[in-house]
Amino acid sequence: MLEGLEVAEVTASEVFAATPTMRFDPEYFRAANLKDEALVSARANDFQSFADLGLTVDASAFYPSIEGYYGEGNLPFLRVADVDSKLCDMYPTLSCVEPGDILFTKGGSVARVGLATRRAAVSRDLIFLNSSKLPREEQAFLYLYSQTPFFNRVLLRSSSQTAQPHLTITLVRELRVLKASHRLKEKTLAMVNKAFAAHDLAREHQVEAENTLLIALGLKNWRTAEPLSYVRTSSQAFAAGRLDAEFFRPRVLSLMTLLSKDGLTLGSVAPARHEAFEPERFF
């Protein structure tokens, strides 16, 4: 009857002592999680806590609605919009991160990992490590280690198993970090620097490609008004075979008219190329 199912036998005392948050859900005691736990226990000297590294695990607490500040100021509000740089002083429960801090998504898409590259306010759906105080090679190692399958499993294990799972900050504080040699940390820093440089170069190429295309199409400085409402006849709708309002937006119609006047197509300004991809050109 149990073929294809997973069963883990855990004593009541182990359940009660497992976490300070009293986890009873079967997901917490999955076989893979118990195996990871046993590994860390057997190799305790190879792991350390965030506290051992002098790091704190923090998050923004509840704060009043700040929608009125969206689009203002020059301080990024991660996952939302820019807000005034004085906002964190006005709302002390709203936390800030510094370049080099590592972030974990607490809710929504749980357990994604990010690295702060500039000072920013953070929403309460993020948990962060104040790793900005560490040397850069330490930051790089933690950033890559946090994205390993092993750490991803233990991070997800710390999430509450509800209709909408969230990481539990109390359990995240207790996660263990593998000790690494200085040489390994230097290598991870080189990898992270190379990845960030490649990302920046890719963005430059994207902007360059977009500008080249806009110039070729004569759209570099093209602007058109976007009225709040517009009217089209039923004959236009039937002729186009479309009934959705988006298809008849004046901005789109103006653009298509401009392109058709000059007889331009993407194929005419950007003919297909079949050159072999050379990844070394981008690194």
Side-chain angles (χ1 to χ4, degrees), residues 156-175:
L156 284 173
R157 192 188 189 196
S158 72
S159 64
S160 59
Q161 295 296 321
T162 63
Q164 187 177 10
H166 279 69
L167 294 184
T168 307
I169 192 169
T170 304
L171 300 186
V172 173
R173 288 193 179 108
E174 298 182 347
L175 299 183

Side-chain angles (χ1 to χ4, degrees), residues 135-162:
R136 293 189 65 236
E137 61 269 15
E138 296 274 3
Q139 297 172 16
F141 173 74
L142 279 175
Y143 177 54
L144 293 187
Y145 174 77
S146 298
Q147 298 179 73
T148 61
F150 172 80
F151 188 84
N152 182 256
R153 287 195 301 272
V154 296
L155 189 59
L156 284 173
R157 192 188 189 196
S158 72
S159 64
S160 59
Q161 295 296 321
T162 63

Side-chain angles (χ1 to χ4, degrees), residues 107-148:
S109 182
V110 178
R112 294 174 61 183
V113 179
L115 182 68
T117 57
R118 60 178 297 187
R119 189 171 190 269
V122 293
S123 76
R124 57 179 175 263
D125 284 329
L126 288 175
I127 292 176
F128 62 90
L129 295 172
N130 62 331
S131 47
S132 54
K133 64 188 294 185
L134 297 176
R136 293 189 65 236
E137 61 269 15
E138 296 274 3
Q139 297 172 16
F141 173 74
L142 279 175
Y143 177 54
L144 293 187
Y145 174 77
S146 298
Q147 298 179 73
T148 61

Side-chain angles (χ1 to χ4, degrees), residues 217-229:
L217 294 173
L219 301 175
K220 179 63 177 177
N221 300 311
W222 177 76
R223 297 289 185 276
T224 186
E226 190 69 74
L228 296 178
S229 62

